[in-house]
Amino acid sequence: MTAAFIATDRVEARLHTVAPDGKTRAVLDRLWARGRDFLGTELAVMGGAMTWVSERNLVAAISNAGGFGVIASGSMSPDLLSAEIAATAALTRRPFGVNLITMHPQLLELVDVCLAQKVGHVVLAGGIPPGAAIARIRDGGARAMCFAPALVLAKKLVRSGAEAIVIEGNEAGGHIGPVSTSVLAQEVLPHVSEVPVFVAGGIGRGEALLSYLEMGAAGVQLGTRFVCAHESIAHANFKRAFIRASARDAVPSMQIDSRFPIIPVRALANPATERFAARQREIIERFSRGELTQKDAQLEIEHFWAGALRRAVIDGDVEGGSLMAGQSVGLVTREQSTVDILDELVAQALAAIDGRHDGRHWRDKPQPGGAGGRDQVK
Ligand SMILES: Cc1cc2nc3c(=O)[nH]c(=O)nc-3n(C[C@H](O)[C@H](O)[C@H](O)COP(=O)(O)O)c2cc1C
């Protein structure tokens, strides 16, 4: 038996002792039963795929700790993805998924790689997925999960065969839509019951997790909160930037001119953010002087961030790279093991449930995971 599997057994024992009493845990388990069944996990908590961060180590750690790790395939080739899945499977016996970007030119080949490697769940992200990809995933025996940025699209994706929906609000790290998680949840959760819905964006504590479950979510997805896990391979500089940052430091990238649209990305403001604004202005001036076509100008703008996330996450270039982070970065105060992060979320959710039984607000009780939110000073 490998060390990773021994750790898994210890985690299992710990997860069963987190609950202050069996009744409270039963309430939580009832609330996220659909999500747990769908994912095949102890906790209906997905570790959102983060390019460069969500590789074998973090993904296996999340799954071994009872959550659902998701490999970020980013721009990986089919061969690279195949190797990453095999390496992850060597570190965990528990279910994990793969996130594929729908714009990838080899999307269907990547789906085939997942199927050949017996991945149970494929998450299609980054745009509206083609029906062919959803059908291929399902025909191959895996579960198809899709991101939906609005209720109409959630409904459409369900009709196209999506077996679960992820709604991700504007508070999230990385590429974002315009609507906040709280509003998206109110828009979608009461009206999509055909499939489980997972809520992502801005979730940093168990009370928030619980509130989305109570609104009808099957489970949640967190990204930012896992970046500073011990098992995350993110560079020490990248982690330090997260630990220092407040919610307000995680801002969407700025578009200078509506003729040159950019897909907004939420990241920690750094010198590269400033340079991006200046670079857009310079390119647009060259376009206005007739030195560039609109298409070339657009391409030059898009090129600015090429390789920037890798530079920050892997090389630790926190000045010139992209520090993608959600607003919940304000709740990241230290490095922790993945199992501690998940235990803390569960303990906070349980304390909140417990508080309701005895009529006391959770804030008036000892805090699992220490003071957070309003009392927190970085
Ligand atoms: C550094 C970073 C990289 C990300 N990369 C991806 C990605 O490659 N694909 C994707 O679907 N989502 C990506 N996301 C979004 C996460 O999967 C997740 O949905 C999001 O982080 C949830 O919101 P939170 O950051 O508030 O927890 C990324 C997020 C971060 C912080």
Side-chain angles (χ1 to χ4, degrees):
M1 190 181 263
T2 66
F5 293 135
I6 293 167
T8 304
D9 292 342
R10 206 188 63 228
V11 163
E12 202 153 80
R14 288 177 64 194
L15 284 169
H16 287 294
T17 58
V18 168
D21 69 49
K23 253 194 340 220
T24 312
R25 180 64 196 237
V27 172
L28 181 61
D29 283 345
R30 233 184 355 259
L31 282 168
W32 64 15
R34 198 176 184 193
R36 292 174 60 199
D37 282 354
F38 181 82
L39 299 171
T41 53
E42 182 109 28
L43 316 172
V45 179
M46 301 173 66
M50 296 178 280
T51 298
W52 298 111
V53 182
S54 300
E55 49 69 79
R56 62 194 75 173
N57 293 292
L58 181 60
V59 173
I62 292 172
S63 291
N64 283 335
F68 187 80
V70 183
I71 295 174
S73 65
S75 57
M76 278 183 197
S77 65
D79 283 348
L80 269 181
L81 177 61
S82 184
E84 199 56 44
I85 296 170
T88 308
L91 295 174
T92 183
R93 289 188 187 137
R94 305 229 175 162
F96 63 88
V98 172
N99 174 298
L100 301 178
I101 307 292
T102 56
M103 276 108 71
H104 196 296
Q106 291 172 291
L107 178 63
L108 293 180
E109 281 130 286
L110 295 171
V111 168
D112 289 342
V113 164
C114 295
L115 298 174
Q117 295 265 14
K118 304 270 177 268
V119 169
H121 300 68
V122 179
V123 187
L124 296 173
I128 303 303
I134 299 177
R136 187 98 140 226
I137 294 166
R138 294 188 60 162
D139 293 347
R143 319 296 305 264
M145 305 181 71
C146 298
F147 276 82
L151 176 61
V152 278
L153 287 165
K155 290 277 186 198
K156 183 175 177 306
L157 288 166
V158 172
R159 284 197 301 275
S160 307
E163 292 169 281
I165 295 292
V166 182
I167 54 171
E168 187 193 57
N170 175 268
E171 300 93 316
H175 293 85
I176 47 170
V179 182
S180 70
T181 307
S182 60
V183 171
L184 208 49
Q186 294 170 78
E187 185 183 313
V188 175
L189 292 174
H191 303 292
V192 177
S193 54
E194 305 89 318
V195 299
V197 179
F198 293 84
V199 174
I203 301 172
R205 289 187 54 106
E207 299 86 2
L209 175 161
L210 176 69
S211 69
Y212 287 121
L213 296 180
E214 288 177 328
M215 287 171 70
V220 293
Q221 168 164 300
L222 282 69
T224 296
R225 199 67 172 76
F226 288 115
V227 167
C228 293
H230 289 314
E231 295 87 346
S232 147
I233 59 150
H235 194 282
N237 293 349
F238 194 81
K239 290 185 177 177
R240 213 172 296 125
F242 269 53
I243 290 167
R244 284 189 184 141
S246 307
R248 69 184 61 189
D249 299 323
V251 292
S253 47
M254 213 208 311
Q255 176 179 308
I256 301 285
D257 188 319
S258 58
R259 289 171 300 174
F260 297 96
I262 58 163
I263 302 172
V265 168
R266 188 177 293 284
L268 300 182
N270 68 353
T273 323
E274 301 288 315
R275 279 208 303 279
F276 182 50
R279 183 97 180 100
Q280 284 184 81
R281 269 184 226 108
E282 179 198 318
I283 293 168
I284 292 163
E285 274 164 27
R286 280 166 59 208
F287 164 73
S288 306
R289 289 197 299 267
E291 293 167 21
L292 281 176
T293 65
Q294 183 152 0
K295 191 170 164 223
D296 287 344
Q298 180 75 44
L299 279 176
E300 279 207 29
I301 290 172
E302 281 164 16
H303 187 72
F304 181 88
W305 291 110
L309 183 59
R310 184 184 195 287
R311 281 203 299 283
V313 173
I314 305 295
D315 305 337
D317 178 4
V318 291
E319 307 236 308
S322 166
L323 299 174
M324 286 185 193
Q327 292 182 336
S328 60
V329 73
L331 300 165
V332 177
T333 55
R334 62 195 187 285
E335 270 199 64
Q336 282 175 285
S337 67
T338 300
V339 70
D340 282 348
I341 295 170
L342 284 165
D343 276 359
E344 205 172 280
L345 288 167
V346 171
Q348 289 161 345
L350 293 173
I353 295 171
D354 227 22
R356 285 170 207 171
H357 291 321
D358 67 11
R360 276 201 296 162
H361 197 280
W362 61 267
R363 269 194 313 231
D364 302 330
K365 299 181 160 200
Q367 290 279 295
R374 64 184 187 139
D375 299 327
Q376 184 171 295
V377 180
K378 278 202 182 187

